Amino acid sequence: MEGTDALSRVVVVGAGFGGLSVAARLAARGHRVEVFEQGPEVGGKLGWFSRDGFSFDTGPSLLTLPAVQRDLFLKTGAPIEEVLDVVPLDPVAHYRFGDGTELDLPGGGLPAVAAALDDALGAGTGAQWTAFQRRAARIWDVAREPFLESALEGPRTLVRLARSTSDVRTVAPWASLRGLGRTYLQDPRLRTLLDRYATYSGSDPAKAPAALATVPFVEQAFGAWYVRGGLHRLAQAVADRAVENGARIRTGTPVARVLEAGGRASGLRLQDGTEVAADVVVSAVDAARLYRDLLPRPRLQPKRRLRSSSGFVLLLALDGRTPGLRHHTVLFPPDYDAEFADLAAGRPVADPTVYVSAPDDPALRPDEHSEAWFVLVNAPVHDPAGGTDWRDAGLVERYAATVLETMARRGLDVRDRVRWSEVRTPADLEHLTGSDGGAIYGTASNGARSAFLRPANRSPVPGLFLVGGSSHPGGGLPLVGLSARIVTDLVGGAD
Ligand SMILES: Cc1cc2nc3c(=O)[nH]c(=O)nc-3n(C[C@H](O)[C@H](O)[C@H](O)COP(=O)(O)OP(=O)(O)OC[C@H]3O[C@@H](n4cnc5c(N)ncnc54)[C@H](O)[C@@H]3O)c2cc1C
């Protein structure tokens, strides 16, 4: 523990889900907490867009490992059920593979998934997937406490993780997710299904560590969830919880610098020049940005080539209803490898996997004769110098049309139903949330050691901590929530 035994004055930079979560937890422990957010609203990537009665989550559309969020609400006042309606999804998603096979992936646990696979992909595929998930369960048991729920502390983390040689063999730190999958999964569609889970952290399955097997395990063993009214309500509820515990949140207030004095973090300078003194500074912004732009001396800047991928988003306000539409639909291309090759080369994916999130939720549509669709394809980061320039309006228009044509080719043709649409590019994401190039997950989990190379929660500057999706243990709401818990423990004190 950093060991602030008394109450501390804590300042948090950024009111995304990471900043809000750590603010609520630290405030509940009695610290004096103030949060500074550059944007007009809280939430960051957990964003929201409304127009003409249509509403959309612009970021997360799938909540996994809700235990992390339940823990946050319990520790800060009252159970999550008192403020949010968190519902399990069943089916979790409808998949259409490149060969035309259709699969409804059920909620309700691993046995139900195995039965659905046997039905849709053929006898024996359920057993292959179950064998893989058993291995993933063992990886989860080994890695959860010493790695995901603990601060990254160099050799000490490795020692904790490697309690025995059999634990090391289980996690297989030398293997890629795809490599591990191939030893269990013979059916090419199962391999495609597994590959997709690497993209949950913006990574390439051939390079991502085998430990990412925990991603499908967590989703299928503990369920996939939706927050009625939209996932963005989670951000507002955590913000409310922070304020109820005494935190102050100031939107429209960009931070220009983290200040240091006497060799430790001493506060912030806001863009308007105001200086705010503090005992503890928590950075909840993109780690690359913190190290490059906000510290008086740039340090330890993560390598740019390690950035995770971004996303190209279409928000579609549609006339009419789609018979049989699922909450989530995934339309795979015939050649999934080509997608990862395009991303690695920094170019828009020519024939992308298309993900559609279309909750059947009256709060998102103006009437019963319309639908609000969030459509996402993986995209390279905004990189005008060496990759794709997502400010090129012609490219954006052509690519939006490509996505709609791709959907039509794969059985979801909504082109004559679009009342209006809104595009969010990686450049927009960079502008709106300050993430480097619009990378969704900070550095990518590409490479066996990648998990240990993520920026640690404790910075080299005493009194400065990092929370959120670009630091340990990683991106996505569950891991961001865990990072807030880790940082709360590192700050310690009060209670
Ligand atoms: C399209 C998309 C789909 C996703 N889908 C899922 C999903 O289905 N499930 C899931 O679990 N996760 C998903 N994610 C990932 C998830 O949204 C993120 O991991 C998480 O929200 C990151 O939270 P954060 O607090 O770390 O960062 P952010 O949300 O980026 O918050 C950083 C905040 O800091 C602010 N800021 C930046 N610079 C400054 C400054 N100088 N001064 C003051 N404020 C500043 C920004 O405005 C922002 O509000 C998705 C993300 C995207 C973009």
Side-chain angles (χ1 to χ4, degrees):
M1 304 237 289
E2 177 72 4
T4 49
D5 289 332
L7 301 188
S8 295
R9 171 141 197 221
V10 182
V11 288
V12 179
V13 190
F17 192 64
L20 294 171
S21 300
V22 83
R25 283 181 181 274
L26 287 170
R29 288 180 73 157
H31 295 289
R32 281 169 54 206
V33 180
E34 201 164 6
V35 185
F36 298 89
E37 164 58 44
Q38 64 173 11
E41 313 270 356
V42 299
K45 295 190 184 83
L46 183 48
W48 185 246
F49 180 79
S50 289
R51 193 209 293 174
D52 303 339
F54 290 89
S55 294
F56 307 82
D57 278 314
T58 57
S61 52
L62 179 73
L63 181 66
T64 53
L65 211 59
V68 176
Q69 319 313 341
R70 288 186 202 288
D71 178 70
L72 180 140
F73 281 89
L74 278 176
K75 298 260 167 61
T76 56
I80 196 167
E81 289 75 16
E82 292 194 7
V83 283
L84 292 173
D85 194 3
V86 184
V87 290
L89 295 179
D90 191 5
V92 172
H94 181 80
Y95 291 92
R96 182 183 189 278
F97 293 91
D99 66 356
T101 313
E102 312 256 352
L103 162 72
D104 264 335
L105 195 79
L110 297 171
V113 170
L117 290 172
D118 277 341
D119 280 351
L121 309 187
T125 52
Q128 289 174 38
W129 188 255
T130 301
F132 178 80
Q133 288 285 37
R134 285 208 186 101
R135 171 66 175 270
R138 296 209 307 277
I139 298 175
W140 173 250
D141 280 345
V142 170
R144 185 178 59 83
E145 192 274 324
F147 183 71
L148 291 177
E149 296 182 356
S150 306
L152 193 60
E153 293 178 301
R156 272 166 62 194
T157 301
L158 282 171
V159 169
R160 279 201 309 260
L161 196 54
R163 280 168 304 194
S164 72
T165 45
S166 88
D167 282 355
V168 176
R169 271 203 305 275
T170 298
V171 178
W174 51 84
S176 68
L177 179 66
R178 182 177 281 182
L180 183 73
R182 298 233 150 150
T183 62
Y184 293 89
L185 311 173
Q186 282 79 50
D187 188 283
R189 294 157 301 183
L190 290 182
R191 292 177 171 183
T192 297
L193 185 64
L194 177 63
D195 275 357
R196 182 163 184 276
Y197 287 97
T199 69
Y200 279 30
S201 59
S203 305
D204 180 338
K207 297 185 190 136
L212 287 192
T214 50
V215 178
F217 171 72
V218 160
E219 181 183 290
Q220 293 174 14
F222 308 133
W225 303 76
Y226 175 65
V227 178
R228 266 197 235 283
L231 261 70
H232 174 73
R233 290 203 174 168
L234 185 58
Q236 194 53 54
V238 178
D240 291 346
R241 197 48 72 83
V243 170
E244 284 156 25
N245 280 284
R248 215 173 141 211
I249 301 175
R250 292 175 57 182
T251 51
T253 313
V255 171
R257 271 275 184 273
V258 173
L259 302 175
E260 288 180 42
R264 54 175 295 125
S266 61
L268 301 174
R269 181 178 307 124
L270 308 181
Q271 205 148 73
D272 68 6
T274 312
E275 295 200 349
V276 185
D279 307 303
V280 171
V281 176
V282 180
S283 167
V285 303
D286 189 285
R289 282 287 170 91
L290 166 75
Y291 283 121
R292 195 178 61 221
D293 303 335
L294 295 187
L295 288 181
R297 283 168 290 138
R299 304 171 200 237
L300 295 180
Q301 189 187 325
K303 292 198 177 76
R304 288 172 73 81
R305 66 182 172 77
L306 287 178
R307 286 182 300 184
S308 74
S309 58
S310 186
F312 182 90
V313 171
L314 282 178
L315 307 176
L316 302 179
L318 298 182
D319 290 319
R321 301 294 291 270
T322 315
L325 182 68
R326 304 302 192 197
H327 192 111
H328 295 138
T329 304
V330 179
L331 306 169
F332 283 116
D335 181 1
Y336 204 11
D337 278 343
E339 173 160 335
F340 297 108
D342 284 343
L343 290 171
R347 54 181 181 249
V349 180
D351 193 19
T353 302
V354 182
Y355 167 73
V356 178
S357 182
D360 183 4
D361 184 341
L364 309 190
R365 53 182 181 243
D367 53 51
E368 288 307 299
H369 311 292
S370 44
E371 289 171 348
W373 287 22
F374 164 92
V375 177
L376 171 70
V377 302
N378 292 318
V381 290
H382 173 56
D383 183 6
T388 300
D389 183 350
W390 284 112
R391 283 170 313 199
D392 175 344
L395 166 71
V396 171
E397 196 178 320
R398 285 193 305 279
Y399 199 61
T402 300
V403 173
L404 288 170
E405 278 157 25
T406 306
M407 290 163 61
R409 258 199 336 275
R410 298 183 196 154
L412 269 189
D413 190 352
V414 293
R415 287 171 295 185
D416 60 357
R417 291 174 48 200
V418 179
R419 195 181 301 180
W420 53 262
S421 66
E422 176 84 17
V423 178
R424 295 287 171 99
T425 70
D428 296 327
L429 196 59
E430 176 174 63
H431 174 69
L432 290 170
T433 69
S435 78
D436 208 27
I440 294 183
Y441 302 97
T443 50
S445 299
N446 286 340
R449 288 164 55 239
S450 58
F452 299 99
L453 297 176
R454 290 191 86 78
N457 306 112
R458 188 198 297 275
S459 85
V461 182
L464 171 64
F465 300 90
L466 278 75
V467 80
S470 58
S471 58
H472 174 77
L477 300 175
L479 298 190
V480 170
L482 284 175
S483 80
R485 198 161 92 187
I486 293 169
V487 168
T488 303
D489 288 342
L490 288 174
V491 171
D495 236 347

